[in-house]
Amino acid sequence: ILEHVARPGTCVVGLTATVERGDSRTLQPAFPGGIAYQLPLAEAIEEGYLVPFRAVREDAPGLVLDEVTCWGGDFGQASLAEALEETAIDHWAADACRKHASGKKALVFTGSVNLAERTAFELNERGIPADWIAGEMEMGRRRAVIDSFKRGEILALCNCQVLTEGFDEPSIEAV
């Protein structure tokens, strides 16, 4: 992209919040002049820019991912959504939220729009105010749901491929 749009001599500045990528790839080839500054995750936490985190793992009963296709180290979305929807993952996720994040503001990532809607329903059934958003949702409705989440009117916001990059809500306490 840079080769196509940047004229010779153009100064290019690149910023990212994901320097330490899961696939271990680097941005170095895109910036042959070198990386001027990098703030590692541990240092960002130590300096107070990010909060320390605690990870909890629970196995989802009945979930089998052996047949899910993979693309570049990531699960294929359609294949993953199918595997997730064959289980009661929405019930499991709602139970896990209640167990580990009760009373906390949580951002919930789901594998399909259907699961975002179903998980929000299950959270509400368990007394956790929740709603869902998806890319196909009308923009005004999506903004209203996000605003409701930011105001704390809902405690869990279930989303499918919407709040993946550039969403900043400091009041979130669980993901």
Side-chain angles (χ1 to χ4, degrees):
I1 294 171
L2 290 175
E3 290 173 3
H4 180 74
V5 299
R7 294 187 178 105
T10 301
C11 179
V12 177
V13 176
L15 306 171
T16 182
T18 54
V19 174
E20 298 168 12
R21 297 170 44 117
D23 62 7
S24 300
R25 294 179 61 196
T26 177
L27 294 175
Q28 189 65 43
F31 299 98
I35 295 174
Y37 181 73
Q38 181 174 327
L39 181 62
L41 180 62
E43 195 174 321
I45 291 170
E46 186 177 298
E47 292 184 14
Y49 294 108
L50 299 174
V51 296
F53 56 88
R54 179 178 66 95
V56 177
R57 176 189 164 158
E58 286 200 23
D59 292 324
L63 180 60
V64 179
L65 300 177
D66 297 342
E67 300 297 318
V68 175
T69 58
C70 287
W71 301 90
D74 289 331
F75 288 123
Q77 172 155 8
S79 182
L80 178 61
E82 184 179 329
L84 292 170
E85 289 183 12
E86 289 176 356
T87 69
I89 197 74
D90 48 334
H91 295 262
W92 173 85
D95 287 341
C97 281
R98 186 174 59 189
K99 179 179 176 182
H100 297 290
S102 183
K104 294 182 178 178
K105 190 181 279 189
L107 183 58
V108 180
F109 293 91
T110 65
S112 71
V113 173
N114 182 34
L115 284 172
E117 194 171 356
R118 284 173 31 190
T119 304
F121 175 83
E122 292 301 328
L123 286 161
N124 280 300
E125 286 290 300
R126 286 158 179 77
I128 300 170
D131 209 337
W132 65 278
I133 60 169
E136 62 195 34
M137 183 179 277
E138 188 272 320
M139 188 58 74
R141 164 97 170 98
R142 190 187 324 170
R143 282 191 186 117
V145 171
I146 291 172
D147 288 345
S148 179
F149 180 64
K150 288 182 174 191
R151 288 190 304 269
E153 296 166 1
I154 58 174
L155 286 182
L157 179 55
C158 303
N159 83 104
C160 178
Q161 295 190 341
V162 176
L163 304 176
T164 57
E165 297 177 9
F167 182 67
D168 184 25
E169 177 50 45
S171 65
I172 293 173
E173 301 168 280
V175 178

